[in-house]
Amino acid sequence: MVSISSSDPIILFDIASGPPIRPYAPNPWKARYALNFKRANFVTKWVDLADVKATRQSLGIDPVRFFDNGEPFFTLPIMTDPSSNKLVGDSFDIAVYLDEKYPDAPSLFRNSIGLYAAFNAHIDSILPIGAPLCSESFPFNPETAEKSKAEFCRRAGLKSWDDMILRGEARRQVMDQFQVALGGVAKYFRFSDGPFIGGKEPDYADIIIGGWLMMYSQTLPREWPEIRAWHGGLWGRLHDGLEPYRGTW
């Protein structure tokens, strides 16, 4: 259990990219957006991808995600709050905690929190459809890249990282599938004057989608301009609308 002086800021444990370090993973981005939305004082503790499992275990945080075979998936974010000695190891739970801690800041949840929990699970079942495209430009730390690639290959049952990279027609097929899948999500915006799902002001529903959009903007340099323009430019407007909540790192 982490115990820090109450004078210290909240600590967000996030996955570090290769240099220059930048945030790219979708669920840590949800937490980062939520912290900035609530105007919380926080700092980032960068964790190399190869050290995520050991970091989570050292903090005594149980996994909240699992692979299809039941194997634990040790990932981030983790948030520690020195004012309460609180450790939170799930992006959605972090948002709930922050909304309770900072009641005077705009609320992340304008409706039942259960509805947002269901929406989070729903989006997390759709937005990863484009994730296989990210292998080509994944922002590994060069010093630990081979170790991380080997672990990804083990999980996927593939012999080499090259087998993970989609090219040519196979890549185009996944792009097309991703566009169709996002088209289903785009329908949720048809009653909004935008750029957010509820209108002119964002809430956690936008952050749920926005975390995934940030990952694609960071890992698909060739395809991101096309994705931004899909469905009448909806995703570009949402992505740009969340820019004030990105902060610095």
Side-chain angles (χ1 to χ4, degrees), residues 21-103:
I21 290 178
R22 65 191 189 279
Y24 67 90
N27 287 307
W29 256 112
K30 294 177 191 177
R32 185 175 295 276
Y33 270 139
L35 283 158
N36 286 318
F37 185 92
K38 299 299 284 187
R39 301 191 292 272
N41 179 27
F42 76 100
V43 296
T44 303
K45 172 69 174 178
W46 294 108
V47 180
D48 191 88
L49 185 61
D51 297 328
V52 168
K53 179 178 179 180
T55 298
R56 196 170 184 100
Q57 290 177 323
S58 71
L59 292 170
I61 301 288
D62 291 333
V64 294
R65 297 173 62 192
F66 297 85
F67 295 106
D68 291 341
N69 64 2
E71 178 185 355
F73 180 21
F74 293 92
T75 187
L76 298 178
I78 294 170
M79 183 210 73
T80 70
D81 184 354
S83 71
S84 61
N85 282 331
K86 184 76 170 180
L87 278 167
V88 187
D90 175 77
S91 58
F92 190 84
D93 292 343
I94 288 171
V96 173
Y97 177 82
L98 293 172
D99 218 44
E100 294 174 351
K101 180 178 173 66
Y102 300 104

Side-chain angles (χ1 to χ4, degrees), residues 165-187:
I165 298 175
L166 296 174
R167 298 180 175 88
E169 183 58 28
R171 192 172 186 86
R172 187 66 248 176
Q173 287 178 358
V174 173
M175 278 288 285
D176 292 344
Q177 293 166 1
F178 191 30
Q179 184 176 15
V180 171
L182 279 178
V185 179
K187 294 177 181 178

Side-chain angles (χ1 to χ4, degrees), residues 207-243:
I207 287 172
I208 290 168
I209 301 172
W212 285 100
L213 294 180
M214 275 303 305
M215 183 188 77
Y216 291 120
S217 75
Q218 296 297 303
T219 58
L220 296 178
R222 286 191 292 118
E223 287 90 354
W224 175 240
E226 178 183 345
I227 294 169
R228 280 182 56 95
W230 285 346
H231 310 112
L234 170 63
W235 311 117
R237 290 192 297 275
L238 175 58
H239 179 74
D240 293 346
L242 289 172
E243 193 277 333

